[in-house]
């Protein structure tokens, strides 16, 4: 044994050496090979903010372990990396620094690429993409035009945040306390045209497809189901009094329709103008509408607004009982959901109840619980559950479920209603009135209307990206960009000045990764068919709805365009937890950020990777612990010394012969294969790398103990034990294991080695541990042979010295033997 060894391994030299070798040998470069089984693993690509954080380290380490593990199993592994590079944050950061967004973005990409390479991540860098490059978004523009031709993209009026002083549209996050983030002037709602993708055409398929995604967390599938929000109920018309116009409503609770006491309209409802024109209430309602729109611009859809409304002065007629129902405009009714009109039943909807109390409107209970009689005067809250109908005409006495069907049937028979399905999901608005995004490839011509840019003229590039002093003003402020000619008639025309939502780029990047250098089409169909779908996708749960839903939608769009054959983009999804420090998520604003660069400089990338994988299961939050990093470092240094102290065992070509091993060597050999089984199981079952690492640590302890206390340690067993440690640790600590693999005389890199297989015959225990009880209390444990009989067990138990101390002179009344587990002596 070599005892003249350094105390710590030189991680800086080792990690630099292996990163350079992997790059030189193109170790991670991959191409489609139909002779091999493929595996596509992908972490959600980052926004190039400037530097990676510990959340990135954890996310990418998880993906890298999976990629390296699958390669060792013989899979042809695709593991790419790119940059979600467009968007408002880059534009704002560049404006703040007085530089162009392109310069800011590409500088950040260069820095972050260097950081990721320093972590030893096994990406195929030849496939790297950046969504802000014209060679990427030109195909996005082509897809837009194809969808436009199929009627899956359309343009309509929408309300945006508008700053008069800056003469520009602001994103919601740029509106601070109702004012522009840049000039501090009040932001007002403004109606403008925007582009929308018809995701609602795919609502049912997106919903039904969730049942097939068994490799996704149920939490994520539930979130998407709720977001799509399929509801079945009654579509019904309430005639406006003394008018031929009708208010269309949809309700999932037709059993409550006899309890309607007022009607609530969204402030944007198209009938509002007609209802209030020339009425005494007109000015009051218009003031209310204006104020409500301003408040809505300041709040998100999830913000709880104080219930407010204004009476229009008009009434509508409930078609079921002929009652006059006052019509209000209300701030809590959203035009984006349903019909923009809500029949208000304050006795059975809490929101309506609060509104009715505030404006002293009638409350009429029409659904009674089985064990209680509701009275409007005594109600302190709405009764929102099912029950038995009352004061509901011919439907009184019916149970809610039956009444719903009967009421819908009645409405359909009478011609004023019908069964209807509606969705919470709304079409995807992709227009952004900013500079740093992919231009929407459309030209507006007075004669020809809306014309898609011809394919041969793509990409429509952003102006100023090639010039050092390039103009990065919003496109509607750049005349040289938007003045053009119509590709159909040749007359003067105007380019679309909106850019695409950055979610469009991230909705198909995983597809482009399959053929990122293809120059004549968005993708190579053969490569896409080989690689897709992504076998394992990894990212934060915060992307559960928008990104993941849009990616599913885009996959189906490309399938229907004939470009793909898959229905779903991601077969399996892992949503990793956050990195927590001092009780909250790491963030610059909280001042609790730990810079991965500092850790890598102090401990090396492999130690940082090992810590991030060992500290918690991937789906749970990781609590930052500096002692944990130090512990990971100590463990690697211990393994380093252990292996280099025993390099002599690698010189021979002996293989293990189980039949010739004594009990001590068999015990260590058994531990080797039990560890292989545990580590493989931990990775395959749920990616619990923490338990996998713990199993390797146990094996290292057993190896050390065997070396220190066993004179006849079999050379072949020791060699296999040390090799197994390196093979099992390699996906987690690749530089470290490559170096030791080489130093122990292996000609090929460990990255080309196969994952070790568990020998089933080796893991079988030769002895059993039997618990001995006296009157149900444990008094000893005995090691016995596997084939021991019950009678022999009884004899051993009764002869045991410790057991006899508790028996004394008492004779056993009964002896209970639970086979292969315990003996209980009852006295």
């Amino acid at each position: 044994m070599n005892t003249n060894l350094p105390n710590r391994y030189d991680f800086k030299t080792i990690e630099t050496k292996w990163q350079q070798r992997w790059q030189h040998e193109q170790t991670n470069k991959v191409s489609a090979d139909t002779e091999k089984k493929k595996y596509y693993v992908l972490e959600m690509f980052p926004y190039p903010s400037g530097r990676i954080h510990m959340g990135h380290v954890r996310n990418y380490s998880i993906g890298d372990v999976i990629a390296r593990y699958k390669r060792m199993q013989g899979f042809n592994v695709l593991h790419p990396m790119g940059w979600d590079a467009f968007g408002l944050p880059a534009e704002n950061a560049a404006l703040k620094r007085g530089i162009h967004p392109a310069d800011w973005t590409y500088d950040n990409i260069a820095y972050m690429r260097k950081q990721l390479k320093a972590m030893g991540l096994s990406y195929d860098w030849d496939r790297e993409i950046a969504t802000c490059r014209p060679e990427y978004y030109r195909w996005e523009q082509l897809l837009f035009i194809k969808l436009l031709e199929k009627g899956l993209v359309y343009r309509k009026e929408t309300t945006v945040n508008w700053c008069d002083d800056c003469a520009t549209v602001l994103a919601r996050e740029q509106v601070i306390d109702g004012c522009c983030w840049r000039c501090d002037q009040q932001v007002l709602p403004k109606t403008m045209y925007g582009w929308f993708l018809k995701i609602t055409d795919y609502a049912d398929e997106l919903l039904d497809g969730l049942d097939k995604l068994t490799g996704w967390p149920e939490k994520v599938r539930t979130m998407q189901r709720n977001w799509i929000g399929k509801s079945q109920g009654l579509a019904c018309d309430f005639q406006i009094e003394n008018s031929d116009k009708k208010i269309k409503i949809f309700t999932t609770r037709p059993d409550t329709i006899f309890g309607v006491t007022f009607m609530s309209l969204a402030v944007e409802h198209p009938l509002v103008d007609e209802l209030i024109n020339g009425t005494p209430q007109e000015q009051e309602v218009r003031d209310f509408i204006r104020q409500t729109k301003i408040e809505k611009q300041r709040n998100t859809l999830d913000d709880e607004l104080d219930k407010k409304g204004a009476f229009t002065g008009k009434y509508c007629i409930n078609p079921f009982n002929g009652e006059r129902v006052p019509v209000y405009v209300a701030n809590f009714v959203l035009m984006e959901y349903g019909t923009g009109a809500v029949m208000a039943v304050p006795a059975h909807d809490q929101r309506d109840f609060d509104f009715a109390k505030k404006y002293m409107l009638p409350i009429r209970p029409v659904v009674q619980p089985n064990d209680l009689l509701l009275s409007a005067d005594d109600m302190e809250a709405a009764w929102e559950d099912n029950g038995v109908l009352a004061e509901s005409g011919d439907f009184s006495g019916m149970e809610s479920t039956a009444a719903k069907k009967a009421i819908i049937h009645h409405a359909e028979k009478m011609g004023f209603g019908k069964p209807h399905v509606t969705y919470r999901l709304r079409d995807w608005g992709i227009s952004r009135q900013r500079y740093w995004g992919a231009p929407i490839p459309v030209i507006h011509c007075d004669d020809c209307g809306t014309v898609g840019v011809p394919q041969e003229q793509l990409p429509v590039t952003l102006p100023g990206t090639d010039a050092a002093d390039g103009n990065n003003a919003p496109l509607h402020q750049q005349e040289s960009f938007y003045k053009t000619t119509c590709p159909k008639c040749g007359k003067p025309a105007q380019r679309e000045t909106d850019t695409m939502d950055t979610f469009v780029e991230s909705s198909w990047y995983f597809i482009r990764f399959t053929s990122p250098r293809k120059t004549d089409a968005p993708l190579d169909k053969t490569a896409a068919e080989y690689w897709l779908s992504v076998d394992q996708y990894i990212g934060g749960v915060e992307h559960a709805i928008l990104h993941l839903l849009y990616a599913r939608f885009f996959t189906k769009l490309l399938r229907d365009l004939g470009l793909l054959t898959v229905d779903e983009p991601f077969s399996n999804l892992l949503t990793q937890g956050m990195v927590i420090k001092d009780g909250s998520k790491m963030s610059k604003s909280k001042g609790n950020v730990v810079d991965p660069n500092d850790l890598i400089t102090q401990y090396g990338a492999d130690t940082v990777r090992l810590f991030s994988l060992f500290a918690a299961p991937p789906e749970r939050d990781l609590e930052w612990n500096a002692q944990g990093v130090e512990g990971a470092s100590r463990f690697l240094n211990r393994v380093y010394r252990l292996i280099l102290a025993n390099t002599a065992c690698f010189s021979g070509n002996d293989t293990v012969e189980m039949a010739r091993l004594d009990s001590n060597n068999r015990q260590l050999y058994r531990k080797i294969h039990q560890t292989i089984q545990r580590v493989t199981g931990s990775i395959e079952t749920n990616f619990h790398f923490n338990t996998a690492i713990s199993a390797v640590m146990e094996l290292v302890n057993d190896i050390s103990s065997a070396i220190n206390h066993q004179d006849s340690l079999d050379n072949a067993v020791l060699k296999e034990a040390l090799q197994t440690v390196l093979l099992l640790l390699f996906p987690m600590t690749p530089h470290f294991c490559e170096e030791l693999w080489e130093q122990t005389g292996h000609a090929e890199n460990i990255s080309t080695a196969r994952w070790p297989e568990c020998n089933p015959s080796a893991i079988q225990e030769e002895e059993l541990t039997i618990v001995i009880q006296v009157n149900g209390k444990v008094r000893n444990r005995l090691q016995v042979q596997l084939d021991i009989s019950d009678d022999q067990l009884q004899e051993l138990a009764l002869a045991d010295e410790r057991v006899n101390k508790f028996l004394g002179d008492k004779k056993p009344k009964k002896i209970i033997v639970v086979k292969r587990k315990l003996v209980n002596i009852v006295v």
Side-chain angles (χ1 to χ4, degrees), residues 553-762:
F553 170 48
F554 239 78
T555 300
K556 298 175 193 305
L557 287 177
L558 268 62
R559 177 202 63 195
D560 291 348
L561 289 174
L563 298 173
L564 295 178
T565 57
V566 295
D567 296 321
E568 293 287 348
F570 314 119
S571 299
N572 297 284
L573 174 68
L574 172 64
T575 54
Q576 91 281 357
M578 298 182 294
V579 180
I580 306 295
K581 185 172 184 282
D582 303 328
S584 59
K585 179 183 177 182
M586 280 191 185
S587 70
K588 292 178 182 178
S589 61
K590 292 186 174 70
N592 63 350
V593 171
V594 175
D595 190 338
N597 277 10
D598 295 341
L599 292 174
I600 291 172
T601 300
Q602 184 176 356
Y603 295 102
D606 284 334
T607 293
V608 178
R609 289 168 57 121
L610 190 68
F611 163 74
S612 71
L613 296 164
F614 182 60
E619 73 277 7
R620 295 188 183 176
D621 291 344
L622 184 158
E623 184 71 38
W624 170 254
N625 182 346
Q627 288 75 31
V629 183
E630 183 61 45
S633 176
R634 285 198 303 271
F635 172 70
L636 290 183
N637 281 297
R638 181 187 175 198
V639 173
Y640 183 75
R641 293 190 298 271
L642 175 67
I643 290 178
L644 291 190
N646 292 278
T647 53
C649 73
F650 291 91
S651 59
N653 295 317
D654 297 342
T655 57
V656 175
E657 296 181 45
M658 282 184 61
R660 299 181 63 181
L661 297 179
D662 61 27
S663 61
N664 289 330
N665 279 295
R666 279 202 306 273
Q667 186 174 343
L668 179 56
Y669 189 66
R670 183 181 307 116
K671 185 66 174 182
I672 293 169
H673 287 271
Q674 288 175 339
T675 304
I676 294 170
Q677 184 183 50
R678 282 182 62 191
V679 173
T680 305
S682 293
I683 296 175
E684 288 285 351
T685 306
N686 47 21
F687 301 130
H688 277 198
F689 308 116
N690 57 321
T691 59
I693 294 167
S694 179
V696 178
M697 289 177 171
E698 288 182 20
L699 176 58
V700 169
N701 287 340
D702 283 12
I703 295 170
S704 297
S705 178
I707 291 171
N708 293 331
H709 300 99
Q710 190 174 333
D711 294 333
S712 59
L713 181 57
D714 186 272
N715 208 55
V717 171
L718 178 58
K719 176 183 176 181
E720 185 169 333
L722 295 176
Q723 284 188 154
T724 299
V725 168
L726 292 179
L727 289 166
L728 298 181
L729 281 179
F730 170 69
M732 299 135 185
T733 57
H735 315 85
F736 176 84
C737 294
E738 284 275 28
E739 180 65 18
L740 286 173
W741 194 256
E742 183 181 70
Q743 289 200 36
T744 50
H746 294 86
E748 301 293 329
N749 293 352
I750 195 173
S751 53
T752 65
R754 293 301 297 260
W755 185 256
E757 293 186 4
C758 171
N759 181 347
S761 61

Side-chain angles (χ1 to χ4, degrees), residues 16-309:
T16 300
K17 166 188 170 180
W18 285 102
Q19 287 162 19
Q20 290 175 347
R21 186 179 295 187
W22 293 331
Q23 183 171 336
H24 175 73
E25 296 177 355
Q26 295 187 309
T27 302
N28 304 311
K29 186 176 176 61
V30 68
S31 58
D33 184 349
T34 54
E35 297 298 313
K36 293 182 179 179
K37 189 175 180 181
K38 69 92 181 179
Y39 193 89
Y40 185 177
V41 57
L42 181 65
E43 305 94 66
M44 294 179 185
F45 68 164
Y47 159 69
S49 59
R51 57 182 55 219
I52 63 171
H53 51 67
M54 284 304 298
H56 288 130
V57 169
R58 189 183 192 198
N59 188 19
Y60 303 146
S61 294
I62 291 169
D64 198 52
V65 172
I66 296 169
R68 292 181 181 278
Y69 169 72
K70 288 296 182 180
R71 285 193 195 100
M72 294 178 77
Q73 288 191 314
F75 285 88
N76 193 30
V77 175
L78 175 58
H79 188 211
M81 173 50 68
W83 312 95
D84 192 8
F86 269 141
L88 193 63
E91 190 167 345
N92 288 345
L95 285 169
K96 185 177 179 180
R97 291 162 177 79
I99 60 176
H100 196 281
D103 296 334
W104 165 258
T105 300
Y106 291 130
D107 285 350
N108 287 349
I109 287 174
Y111 187 83
M112 292 177 71
R113 184 192 300 116
K114 184 178 178 181
Q115 286 185 296
L116 295 181
K117 287 186 174 182
M119 283 182 61
L121 301 168
S122 60
Y123 296 127
D124 181 354
W125 284 104
D126 287 350
R127 292 176 181 263
E128 180 184 11
I129 59 176
T131 60
C132 61
R133 294 191 181 278
E135 56 265 32
Y136 180 85
Y137 67 75
R138 69 171 295 185
W139 302 118
E140 191 172 300
Q141 292 173 336
L142 177 63
L143 295 173
F144 179 96
I145 291 167
K146 288 184 178 294
L147 295 174
L148 182 65
E149 292 168 351
K150 288 179 69 74
L152 289 167
V153 182
Y154 65 95
R155 191 170 180 246
K156 72 171 184 177
E157 281 191 325
T158 185
T159 303
V160 297
N161 302 309
W162 182 260
C163 175
D164 269 332
D165 278 33
C166 297
T168 190
V169 173
L170 302 177
R172 188 180 295 277
E173 56 267 42
Q174 289 180 305
V175 181
I176 302 171
D177 296 328
C179 296
C180 173
W181 70 283
R182 189 184 292 114
C183 68
D184 206 32
Q185 295 302 304
Q186 187 177 28
V187 174
L188 297 171
K190 183 176 181 178
T191 301
M192 296 181 67
Y193 279 94
W195 290 93
F196 291 80
L197 286 173
K198 280 191 173 181
I199 190 172
T200 52
D201 280 13
Y202 288 77
D204 275 326
E205 189 180 354
L206 288 167
L207 190 61
D208 294 343
L210 291 169
D211 293 333
K212 303 172 186 175
L213 296 177
T214 54
W216 285 36
E218 183 55 38
K219 175 183 177 181
V220 174
R221 293 195 289 171
T222 299
M223 291 168 75
Q224 287 207 7
R225 285 190 188 99
N226 293 339
W227 187 262
I228 295 168
K230 184 176 183 178
S231 299
Q232 296 177 310
L234 169 68
C236 185
D237 295 333
F238 280 60
Q239 187 86 38
I240 297 173
E241 191 177 50
N242 301 321
S243 170
D244 61 350
K245 297 293 174 66
K246 298 173 182 177
I247 298 174
K248 296 183 179 296
I249 64 97
F250 169 79
T251 178
T252 59
R253 293 294 307 269
D255 56 321
T256 68
I257 204 160
F258 285 86
V260 174
T261 61
F262 62 97
M263 180 69 67
S264 301
L265 301 183
V267 294
E268 303 90 352
H269 196 287
L271 285 177
V272 170
D273 231 27
E274 185 175 333
L275 289 173
I276 64 175
N277 273 342
T279 66
Q281 292 85 1
E282 179 176 3
Q283 192 56 50
E284 178 189 348
V285 174
R286 292 197 185 281
D287 290 343
F288 173 78
I289 290 171
R290 187 183 310 108
Q291 185 59 36
T292 298
K293 285 183 176 180
I294 291 172
E295 288 179 2
K296 282 188 176 183
Q297 298 306 114
R298 297 177 181 179
N299 296 282
T300 69
L301 295 178
D302 294 327
D303 287 338
E304 187 68 27
L305 296 174
D306 183 28
K307 313 295 186 298
K308 296 178 184 176

Side-chain angles (χ1 to χ4, degrees), residues 365-435:
V366 294
V367 176
Q368 295 286 352
N370 292 322
D371 56 352
L372 183 69
L373 182 63
L374 298 176
S375 167
D377 294 336
D378 298 331
M379 292 181 74
E380 296 181 358
W383 170 263
E384 297 183 324
D385 290 340
N386 288 338
V388 178
L389 272 64
E391 296 188 45
S392 299
D394 294 341
F395 306 99
S396 295
M398 294 182 71
E399 191 274 329
S400 284
T401 302
K404 290 174 185 177
K405 295 177 181 177
I407 287 171
I408 292 172
H409 177 73
H410 176 75
E412 191 170 24
K413 181 180 177 182
M414 299 304 293
F416 54 73
K418 60 183 179 180
H420 186 64
V421 176
T422 190
Y423 301 87
R424 183 177 186 266
L425 182 68
R426 287 295 174 264
D427 282 341
W428 175 10
I430 64 166
S431 283
R432 298 295 180 267
Q433 296 75 24
R434 302 302 309 166
Y435 170 78

